[in-house]
Amino acid sequence: MPVTDQLSVTAALHQRRSIRKFTDQPVDPALLQDIFAAAQRAPSGGNLQPWQATLLTGDPWQAVQDAVAARLAMGRAGYEPEYDIYPKGLTDPWEARRFGVGEGLYAALGIPREDKAGRLAQFVENYRGFGAPVMLFLHCSRIMGPPQWADMGMWLQSVMLLLVEAGLASCPQECWAMYGRTVRQALALDDDQILFTGLAIGYADADAAVNQWPVPRVAPNDVIDWQGF
Ligand SMILES: Cc1cc2nc3c(=O)[nH]c(=O)nc-3n(C[C@H](O)[C@H](O)[C@H](O)COP(=O)(O)O)c2cc1C
């Protein structure tokens, strides 16, 4: 059953954005139960439903933040990436898009390029889930390949749109995969599991500049080649 029937899919798609400042308003677990029940309708090749998730709030969520903070303090020596977040040697047009979204974010916050400490401080907010009261970690068996990872993405987007419908907000966060081993240990995941991403969940701080800047998209016909129409 849908949580509410107030939003069209189109409206939910337009309303969803990555939220990088949350209020401390707690999230009703019953609402999350309904959302995850609906998200199980996400499609997957062969109906494998390969996604697995761990949902945290309160002390267990704080424990992950503390464990990762200790790794963060080690600088680059603390990295333990689960996978390459971006392809090595990423070229344009993708590299320009990646660069552009970072610049847009820091411009919205008024943090210039020279202010390395300011940019780092904003980046480190990732590892507090931007203040979200709930954190979801999305993982799957290591035997899964690209098709099943795409399935995970479809489940993730389903969850994000359902959150919007319920008046909630989210930010997907693959940055946690930079500290994959530490997160997996804190979650007591089996070694068989690989961590894909975090998803910060809560209520958006609607007034925050970081939640208001326009995030561009390329035109549909830059990515779709229509043939035979
Ligand atoms: C799988 C995935 C992982 C992401 N990881 C991060 C992250 O670690 N930190 C962050 O601030 N944004 C992260 N994002 C958000 C993207 O930057 C964002 O989706 C993109 O710029 C489009 O903006 P929008 O979500 O606001 O529409 C991630 C998005 C996805 C789909």
Side-chain angles (χ1 to χ4, degrees):
M1 287 289 289
V3 177
T4 71
D5 279 322
Q6 290 168 357
L7 277 187
S8 67
V9 175
T10 304
L13 276 163
H14 283 288
Q15 277 188 35
R16 189 213 59 80
R17 59 172 297 144
S18 294
I19 289 301
R20 296 186 178 87
K21 190 164 185 201
F22 291 86
T23 71
D24 52 16
Q25 185 181 340
V27 179
D28 180 355
L31 212 48
L32 296 175
Q33 297 265 14
D34 287 346
I35 286 168
F36 294 123
Q40 281 304 108
R41 301 301 308 163
S44 55
N47 204 23
L48 261 62
Q49 303 159 69
W51 48 81
Q52 293 177 243
T54 304
L55 198 62
L56 306 174
T57 194
D59 290 345
W61 169 209
Q62 187 60 51
V64 176
Q65 293 177 61
D66 293 346
V68 169
R71 300 294 302 184
L72 269 169
M74 296 166 64
R76 298 182 79 86
Y79 290 167
E80 30 188 29
E82 290 285 83
Y83 55 86
D84 287 336
I85 288 183
Y86 305 111
K88 290 194 171 72
L90 188 66
T91 52
D92 286 342
W94 308 287
E95 171 57 18
R97 294 174 193 163
R98 189 198 63 77
F99 181 80
V101 78
E103 290 304 301
L105 183 140
Y106 293 124
L109 291 170
I111 308 175
R113 180 177 295 267
E114 315 77 71
D115 184 2
K116 293 218 174 344
R119 289 190 169 202
L120 182 65
Q122 171 58 30
F123 177 74
V124 167
E125 280 298 295
N126 263 293
Y127 296 104
R128 295 184 52 255
F130 303 112
V134 174
M135 174 60 65
L136 178 150
F137 286 105
L138 176 55
H139 42 89
C140 71
S141 167
R142 280 180 196 276
I143 68 169
M144 300 299 173
Q148 290 77 42
W149 280 63
D151 295 339
M152 276 202 285
M154 284 186 275
W155 182 83
L156 185 67
Q157 171 73 328
S158 301
V159 170
M160 291 192 289
L161 295 180
L162 288 160
L163 288 165
V164 168
E165 186 188 45
L168 283 151
S170 64
C171 186
Q173 295 190 279
E174 57 204 352
C175 63
W176 292 96
M178 289 300 294
Y179 301 97
R181 196 173 60 93
T182 295
V183 174
R184 282 187 282 104
Q185 278 178 354
L187 303 182
L189 289 182
D190 286 347
D191 286 345
D192 140 79
Q193 293 285 299
I194 183 164
L195 175 69
F196 170 29
T197 188
L199 183 72
I201 296 173
Y203 290 92
D205 180 341
D207 298 330
V210 74
N211 292 336
Q212 291 184 19
W213 54 286
V215 184
R217 295 295 196 273
V218 298
N221 286 352
D222 287 351
V223 294
I224 298 167
D225 177 17
W226 299 64
Q227 299 191 3
F229 284 89

